[in-house]
Amino acid sequence: MATPDLDDVDLVAERAAIEHFQGLDQKLQDVGWKLARGNAPFCTRFTLSIGLQLQDLASYGGPEIARAALGMTGDFAVQTAARGSPSALSHAFPKNREVIQLAGVDPNTWEAEDRHYWQRLTRAHDWIDDALHHRGIATFHFANGETAQIEPVKVCATRFELAGEGKRAVADGQRVVLGMNFPGFAYDEEIFAGAVAHELAHNLLGHRKWLEANGEGRRNVRRIEREADRLMPWLMANAGYDPQAAYRFMTTWGPKHDGGLFRARTHDGWDERAEFIAAELPLIKELMERDGSADWSVHFTREIDPNAGEKVARGD
């Protein structure tokens, strides 16, 4: 593909588009961090994290345009530092700060295709995670010659990712992925957190593996969706959000989108879902007042047997 003539490109508009994407990602990472950090004591799978998201310009449709718009010479820079995370508290990771080395390697030296190559960014985040796991610290070198050493904290093992297109929110067992056109981004943070908590609940409760073992019939999907709804306020309470905001999310989202993102035949009606969420609130309130946390690993009642693994009829 021919290199574009940068004289014909509106670099101000290009930078604004990048910053819009980053703003959405920041909101997702801020909420995801609070949920993953606040619930770490109760997760069976956890990891060490500093709350940092990088960007790799090789993943863009026009890396050379993005490089010019951001004033970078290489491809790697800060995307977001989640609010309250070690990376944000260090003040070393403002947006678009160019990174030339992470945990002992220059990621710019890794091979990548000319454009739309997201695999190298995944490799960079994996590299950081591996360094944190084995060394308990990660060192970053920046283009201006400065360095930063960051120590991690424990969080629930899920990554939060913003996709370039689409309106969906999905969980695949390892990640929570939201399309940049997901309508919930327009909500206040506390209500938006309900959507993120719902998807995180799927990962924390092992729903993807359970469906693979037991079948994806309507009855099974409805059961795991109900579980994710009911766990939402628990996760939000431990993150410092008002657990009643989970109910407000469903009553805000449901009337407009029931049967869209949440498919009608595999989900209860939005009003039923709101009632299931509300039914969890008294116990959460009691536990928060008594213990200062809502230990869902002990007190949450499951809809499914998480250890079941026998195949069931897929047409159920």
Side-chain angles (χ1 to χ4, degrees):
M1 184 178 293
T3 301
D5 184 349
L6 295 179
D7 291 336
D8 298 330
V9 177
D10 186 343
L11 295 180
V12 174
E14 293 293 336
R15 185 180 180 103
I18 292 171
E19 290 178 345
H20 172 68
F21 185 85
Q22 288 176 324
L24 297 176
D25 201 6
Q26 187 72 56
K27 185 171 185 175
L28 172 59
Q29 300 303 327
D30 288 349
V31 169
W33 178 264
K34 287 187 69 172
L35 291 167
R37 176 64 174 148
N39 287 279
F42 316 118
C43 293
T44 57
R45 290 178 55 252
F46 62 87
T47 189
L48 297 175
S49 177
I50 60 173
L52 177 67
Q53 289 285 109
L54 298 176
Q55 57 179 316
D56 177 7
L57 303 192
S59 66
Y60 283 67
E64 54 288 314
I65 294 174
R67 201 175 293 118
L70 296 177
M72 291 171 52
T73 57
D75 284 342
F76 279 84
V78 175
Q79 171 82 340
T80 66
R83 186 179 65 233
S85 69
S87 58
L89 295 175
S90 75
H91 303 292
F93 296 93
K95 283 184 178 65
N96 302 319
R97 187 177 195 186
E98 191 167 350
V99 179
I100 61 172
Q101 190 177 109
L102 50 93
V105 67
D106 179 0
N108 292 285
T109 64
W110 293 338
E111 290 187 6
E113 295 179 6
D114 290 340
R115 59 202 70 241
H116 295 304
Y117 192 76
W118 53 264
Q119 292 90 337
R120 190 169 67 168
L121 181 58
T122 298
R123 181 181 178 184
H125 287 138
D126 288 344
W127 185 273
I128 295 170
D129 287 351
D130 187 69
L132 295 173
H133 176 74
H134 288 98
R135 304 175 211 166
I137 198 167
T139 302
F140 297 82
H141 294 253
F142 304 103
N144 66 353
E146 295 179 352
T147 64
Q149 283 192 327
I150 311 297
E151 295 182 5
V153 295
K154 187 168 74 170
V155 299
C156 297
T158 285
R159 287 181 179 174
F160 300 88
E161 296 182 8
L162 181 66
E165 297 179 355
K167 298 181 179 181
R168 298 188 64 200
V170 297
D172 66 5
Q174 307 296 325
R175 305 174 301 158
V176 168
V177 183
L178 271 63
M180 65 179 296
N181 297 315
F182 177 63
F185 278 115
Y187 300 161
D188 291 343
E189 179 179 317
E190 196 161 57
I191 297 179
F192 171 70
V196 182
H198 174 93
E199 299 303 331
L200 177 59
H202 282 308
N203 288 350
L204 300 187
L205 296 174
H207 285 159
R208 174 47 49 196
K209 286 187 177 180
W210 188 86
L211 286 177
E212 290 173 356
N214 292 277
E216 299 186 25
R218 291 178 196 160
R219 179 172 178 271
N220 280 352
V221 174
R222 181 169 292 201
R223 292 166 74 192
I224 62 102
E225 292 296 340
R226 188 179 298 163
E227 253 194 1
D229 285 341
R230 292 176 46 241
L231 191 63
M232 286 164 58
W234 294 76
L235 301 182
M236 294 174 71
N238 290 324
Y241 294 115
D242 180 356
Q244 293 192 31
Y247 176 86
R248 295 199 297 275
F249 164 73
M250 190 56 64
T251 56
T252 301
W253 175 273
K256 292 184 178 180
H257 301 284
D258 190 22
L261 171 69
F262 297 133
R263 293 169 294 174
R265 290 189 177 185
T266 53
H267 295 69
D268 297 303
W270 71 264
D271 50 347
E272 294 176 291
R273 299 175 69 184
E275 290 176 3
F276 290 133
I277 293 169
E280 301 293 320
L281 298 177
L283 178 55
I284 294 171
K285 182 174 185 292
E286 177 186 339
L287 292 170
M288 293 296 294
E289 291 176 349
R290 188 188 74 191
D291 303 330
S293 62
D295 186 349
W296 46 269
S297 68
V298 173
H299 300 288
F300 180 73
T301 302
R302 301 292 302 261
E303 298 276 339
I304 63 172
D305 177 359
N307 298 313
E310 183 178 353
K311 290 284 186 180
V312 297
R314 293 187 178 272
D316 187 11

